[in-house]
Amino acid sequence: MKFEIGQGLTRIEDYRLVTGAGLYTDDIKAGEGLRVAFLRAPFAHAKLLSLDVSAAADAPGVVLVATQADLDADNVGEIACKNVVVNSDDNPMPMVTKPPMVRDINRYAGDIVAMVVADSQIHADAALDLIAVDFDPLDAVTDVYDAVTEGAPQLYPEYPSNIAFDWQKGDPAATKDMFAAASQGKQKIVAVDVINSRVIVNSVETRPIIAAPGDDPDTLLIWCGTQGARSISTQIADALNLDHDAVRVLTHDVGGSFGFKIFLHPEQVLVSWAARKLGGLVRWQQPRSDGFISDIQGRDTRTKARAVIDDSGRILAYEADVHANMGAWLSNFSTAIPTISANSALTGTYDIPVASLRVRGVVTNTPAIDAYRGAGRPELIYALERLLDQIAFETGISRVDVRRRNLIKADQMPYPMAVGITIDSGDMPALFETALQRADWDGFATRREAARTKGLYRGIGLGMYLEKSGDGSDGGVHISFAANGHMTVLASQQCNGQGHRMTLTQILSDKLGYDAEKITVQQGDSATMPDGTTGGARMTALIGSAVAEASASIIELARPQAAQTLDCTLDDLAFDDGIFADKASNRSITLADLVISLADEKTPHMFDMRQPYASDGPSYPYGCHIAEVEIDPATYKVKLDRFTCVNDFGVVINPVMLEGQIQGGIVQGIGQALFEHVVYDDQGQLLAGSLMDYTLPRADHIPMLDITMRNTPCLNNVLGVKGAGQSGAIGAPHAVISAVCNALSIPHIDMPATPASIWQAMQARNITAA
């Protein structure tokens, strides 16, 4: 049975997963091995004065107690940021690495002080209480604006005023001139200062890891959830001073990632080191409570955005000044997220001729920040869309007309953005009008009046989004054929629930006419898989295109063999729907049968293929989100009543899977806008440290989502696809906040718009009745 591109098929992965046959990290060698517990620093900032582990080492069942001193004695390496930012003065930023455990100063509550390995989890946990540790607490800082003020606690001598880097992009000089001219009264300047609130990832599966000695001497075998096994394996090998091929990481099923499983965490180094030192299998199953204080987290920026506008509301110049919270240490790609990644969407879907971006990366006494679904684009798109609403608020021009007057027109494509990147395709005004129609924007006044008669505030909000995705290159796929005609595809990157196997099988089946049951897609083995990392909505654009190119190459390799088999010329040979046919006769042979006829079990098949892929440039998916809310003045709760989004994702491989990706992203964006609230006290203690205190969006928070497409093919990859996995999380937050502000007739409220913050906004403006 052939799967075709464009068919809305259910995922081939799902039956195995929903029937309990999934293989997640903790399912590996279930119950076997030594157990690990970590002693974590109770203070967000403190000097480590003394540490005595002798009593714990003598405790029942304990086989190892280790501190950073033990790692230093073994010359274990530290976690390093992989992206060196060049400051605006053209000097590279100084880099500070992170030891897996506290050496002398801990910089966030949850930093690891000691590790216990024991024969059971009970013994490991009990031994933590026997470790004697003494700290000298220091003042802490968690807010980026507070961190850069004079007299703030300093985290690193290398980063004066806690600024790790100061980076600029765009045309700062031209932007400065435009604002200087506007300040003389020639044009109007509109500004906002917005918070993009921190989120804790909270994937369904936490970060368990299992490590054991490999079959060969001085090798390690590791099982853990990743977004690409190769990156983690090489970093662990470097830390343990091993050759890269001495560390093999296996990733099977992964229960969600959203970015943070790309990056190396301290626990991965420590468990791997312990397995090597003890010569046995060691496993750590991360408690959810550990995740709240030790996982790499997302967002957390403050952005001052401002624009020069003319009398019609057209933006003539735009600048964004970002203070990005890096947390207490620089994670693998943390410095790239608010800079290179965010800059790619600085001006969004709008025709803005002059723009600049300044980003200061600020270290604070909080867990590290790195990529989270959207990775820099949601933060700057949010700021831009809030600024457009502010323009409407100050000028009296409707929010719809402000956007209409600034959108990039279809005849401007391909459109060179002010940041130096070109949008290849799209019709943004047409998509915008489609969204307004589907959301019945013109009928909102009637719905608002109906809500008012019930004593409710009703608001409608909207916003565009744009993101850069699917660019660059990776190892693609290795395709091999077995003697029975079955095909195995070793694919770079790693599925974390997105449905990679279904997507690649569908493309292969379409291009080769191959029975899907004869196609096996494998991922997650650092020793055999091509190099690649899932992230940036790149999978289909890169691996899917690699599969498409490999398919074309396989057909060309097969043509002369098919012609010889059918005793016809190449000119008389046709290929369609998996069948080679002689146009001059009724003779034919399927590709699968041809594979079988040419198989030689002693040698690789002649159709075997290694296909890397590099795109010709990024894809730029974009869209419009429109949210409608009601607020009850008795409870200050926001009810999301309607949600509409129209998107341009280019060629669609599987509309059912695509809609699922969009739904998930929208829900995460709604979660950030209304519910998820990371709160620290003035000494850096997390006050929302469990799911009793930290609200994730639930099914009853979300209305039916109206999701439609108005697609134009991408011109920069073989398939014409545009990345979709991050779009919902980019587009939803500002639409929801716009609706809340509209309901209350206020210019702005920061995320999350909780009942408490809505009460404060209503009190400040003396709003009492609808």
Side-chain angles (χ1 to χ4, degrees):
M1 297 185 301
K2 181 181 168 188
F3 289 2
E4 292 183 343
I5 289 175
Q7 288 184 328
L9 304 169
T10 56
R11 306 190 321 172
I12 58 178
E13 296 94 336
D14 289 347
Y15 180 80
R16 181 175 58 84
L17 296 176
V18 300
T19 56
L23 188 64
Y24 296 89
T25 298
D26 205 44
D27 295 320
I28 305 297
K29 299 183 182 296
E32 294 184 23
L34 300 168
R35 302 303 198 273
V36 173
F38 296 108
L39 179 68
R40 298 186 180 274
F43 301 105
H45 200 193
K47 291 181 179 179
L48 179 60
L49 300 180
S50 63
L51 181 60
D52 184 354
V53 300
S54 57
D58 292 335
V62 172
V63 297
L64 175 68
V65 182
T67 69
Q68 184 59 37
D70 297 297
L71 301 187
D72 291 340
D74 279 0
N75 196 31
V76 174
E78 302 188 355
I79 300 173
C81 182
K82 302 297 183 182
N83 181 73
V84 178
V85 169
V86 177
N87 288 317
S88 55
D89 62 5
D90 293 328
N91 290 313
M93 65 173 289
M95 281 294 184
V96 175
T97 56
K98 159 127 182 74
M101 292 191 277
V102 175
R103 182 177 288 118
D104 49 9
I105 297 177
N106 84 272
R107 295 178 174 87
Y108 65 100
D111 209 349
I112 300 172
V113 179
M115 173 178 66
V116 173
V117 183
D119 59 4
S120 71
Q121 196 64 53
I122 292 175
H123 284 150
D125 292 340
L128 295 181
D129 294 333
L130 302 177
I131 298 174
V133 58
D134 188 19
F135 290 98
D136 178 14
L138 303 171
D139 289 336
V141 64
T142 61
D143 178 80
V144 287
Y145 284 176
D146 292 342
V148 299
T149 60
E150 185 176 353
Q154 298 297 291
L155 272 71
Y156 297 96
E158 294 87 351
Y159 300 144
S161 300
N162 292 316
I163 297 175
F165 60 85
D166 189 341
W167 180 92
Q168 283 189 301
K169 196 69 173 177
D171 194 338
T175 310
K176 181 179 179 181
D177 289 344
M178 293 288 287
F179 278 95
S183 66
Q184 301 302 313
K186 296 180 180 179
Q187 287 100 19
K188 181 177 178 61
I189 297 174
V190 179
V192 294
D193 183 352
V194 299
I195 298 172
N196 205 283
S197 49
R198 179 182 287 239
V199 293
I200 296 171
V201 180
N202 273 307
S203 58
V204 173
E205 182 190 28
T206 58
R207 291 189 291 109
I209 179 172
I210 303 168
D215 293 335
D216 297 325
D218 288 327
T219 63
L220 273 177
L221 182 58
I222 298 168
W223 296 266
C224 65
T226 71
Q227 292 179 230
R230 188 74 63 83
S231 173
I232 297 299
S233 71
T234 55
Q235 289 190 77
I236 291 174
D238 289 341
L240 300 183
N241 302 299
L242 295 170
D243 293 336
H244 287 176
D245 59 6
V247 176
R248 184 182 185 187
V249 170
L250 295 176
T251 298
H252 297 286
D253 293 314
V254 181
S257 295
F258 313 112
F260 83 129
K261 289 178 183 173
I262 297 173
F263 315 116
L264 186 66
H265 286 73
E267 296 88 351
Q268 292 166 318
V269 175
L270 294 172
V271 171
S272 302
W273 171 80
R276 179 168 163 76
K277 191 169 190 69
L278 295 171
L281 189 146
V282 178
R283 67 191 309 135
W284 177 59
Q285 174 57 274
Q286 182 192 33
R288 179 70 58 180
S289 56
D290 265 21
F292 271 86
I293 59 174
S294 67
D295 286 346
I296 291 167
Q297 299 174 355
R299 310 289 191 244
D300 205 347
T301 62
R302 291 288 298 267
T303 302
K304 293 179 179 178
R306 60 179 189 156
V308 177
I309 63 171
D310 65 16
D311 291 341
S312 71
R314 284 271 294 128
I315 298 174
L316 306 177
Y318 172 66
E319 69 175 11
D321 187 350
V322 179
H323 285 68
N325 199 334
M326 297 286 99
W329 53 283
L330 301 182
S331 176
N332 286 168
F333 301 111
S334 57
T335 56
I337 303 311
T339 55
I340 298 167
S341 180
N343 179 67
S344 65
L346 175 63
T347 54
T349 56
Y350 304 107
D351 181 16
I352 300 175
V354 179
S356 67
L357 171 64
R358 182 184 183 187
V359 182
R360 277 164 279 198
V362 181
V363 289
T364 65
N365 297 113
T366 60
I369 292 284
D370 212 313
Y372 172 71
R373 201 169 193 170
R377 277 85 79 179
E379 295 90 318
L380 275 187
I381 290 293
Y382 177 78
L384 176 60
E385 291 293 330
R386 296 306 304 132
L387 179 63
L388 284 160
D389 273 14
Q390 185 69 26
I391 291 171
F393 190 86
E394 292 190 21
T395 63
I397 303 169
S398 75
R399 291 171 294 165
V400 168
D401 284 341
V402 165
R403 288 168 172 83
R404 279 177 175 149
R405 295 171 189 181
N406 284 285
L407 281 171
I408 300 165
K409 305 299 188 290
D411 60 10
Q412 293 177 277
M413 295 293 176
Y415 178 80
M417 301 170 74
V419 295
I421 304 170
T422 298
I423 303 173
D424 63 294
S425 64
D427 188 342
M428 294 162 184
L431 182 146
F432 183 62
E433 298 302 329
T434 300
L436 294 173
Q437 292 169 12
R438 289 196 67 88
D440 187 20
W441 185 273
D442 291 340
F444 170 71
T446 301
R447 296 191 295 277
R448 169 175 266 178
E449 184 57 34
R452 185 176 287 113
T453 63
K454 301 175 185 176
L456 303 174
Y457 297 98
R458 192 172 183 96
I460 192 168
L462 81 166
M464 299 291 289
Y465 76 87
L466 174 96
E467 73 145 325
K468 182 183 119 180
S469 65
D471 60 328
S473 62
D474 74 5
V477 293
H478 297 172
I479 297 176
S480 60
F481 292 90
N484 62 0
H486 284 237
M487 178 195 311
T488 298
V489 182
L490 304 183
S492 65
Q493 305 189 30
Q494 174 65 42
C495 183
N496 313 128
Q498 302 96 329
H500 289 190
R501 290 175 177 84
M502 182 68 221
T503 300
L504 298 181
T505 298
Q506 200 163 345
I507 296 169
L508 277 165
S509 183
D510 179 273
K511 298 297 184 182
L512 296 177
Y514 228 74
D515 186 342
E517 293 185 357
K518 295 180 179 178
I519 301 170
T520 301
V521 177
Q522 297 179 356
Q523 297 173 296
D525 186 342
S526 67
T528 61
M529 301 299 164
D531 191 21
T533 301
T534 297
R538 301 163 65 245
M539 196 288 293
T540 306
L542 295 187
I543 311 181
S545 292
V547 162
E549 286 196 339
S551 298
S553 298
I554 289 168
I555 292 169
E556 289 307 306
L557 285 173
R559 278 187 180 278
Q561 304 302 322
Q564 182 177 351
T565 300
L566 299 176
D567 192 23
C568 69
T569 67
L570 288 173
D571 289 340
D572 286 334
L573 187 70
F575 178 79
D576 183 56
D577 204 19
I579 300 171
F580 287 102
D582 177 8
K583 291 181 286 188
S585 71
N586 63 354
R587 294 191 304 274
S588 65
I589 186 171
T590 67
L591 175 61
D593 285 341
L594 186 63
V595 167
I596 294 170
S597 70
L598 297 171
D600 179 353
E601 294 185 359
K602 297 179 181 179
T603 60
H605 200 283
M606 64 183 303
F607 297 165
D608 288 358
M609 182 74 53
R610 289 175 175 260
Q611 184 67 59
Y613 186 76
S615 68
D616 293 331
S619 72
Y620 267 103
Y622 64 91
C624 179
H625 288 220
I626 300 176
E628 209 163 316
V629 303
E630 284 185 343
I631 300 174
D632 187 343
T635 63
Y636 310 104
K637 289 179 64 175
V638 177
K639 175 190 175 186
L640 186 61
D641 192 55
R642 294 162 63 112
F643 199 99
T644 304
C645 75
V646 182
N647 313 274
D648 183 344
F649 292 130
V651 173
V652 175
I653 305 299
N654 186 318
V656 171
M657 291 174 57
L658 174 61
E659 185 168 355
Q661 283 287 300
I662 302 165
Q663 289 169 341
I666 288 172
V667 170
Q668 284 185 293
I670 291 169
Q672 184 183 12
L674 296 179
F675 306 113
E676 300 184 46
H677 200 187
V678 180
V679 183
Y680 294 96
D681 68 13
D682 59 3
Q683 285 303 307
Q685 296 297 322
L686 180 62
L687 301 182
S690 76
L691 292 176
M692 296 295 290
D693 310 298
Y694 184 90
T695 303
L696 292 176
R698 300 190 303 266
D700 61 351
H701 291 146
I702 311 299
M704 294 301 293
L705 304 175
D706 180 11
I707 299 170
T708 54
M709 313 298 161
R710 200 180 192 285
N711 295 324
T712 58
C714 176
L715 304 180
N716 290 331
N717 61 69
V718 168
L719 291 172
V721 299
K722 301 179 182 181
Q726 304 177 133
S727 63
I730 300 172
H734 54 75
V736 173
I737 293 298
S738 177
V740 171
C741 293
N742 179 250
L744 300 177
S745 299
I746 60 175
H748 182 65
I749 189 169
D750 278 315
M751 297 189 291
T754 62
S757 62
I758 289 173
W759 176 82
Q760 291 171 344
M762 294 176 71
Q763 293 297 308
R765 299 181 71 87
N766 197 29
I767 302 171
T768 57

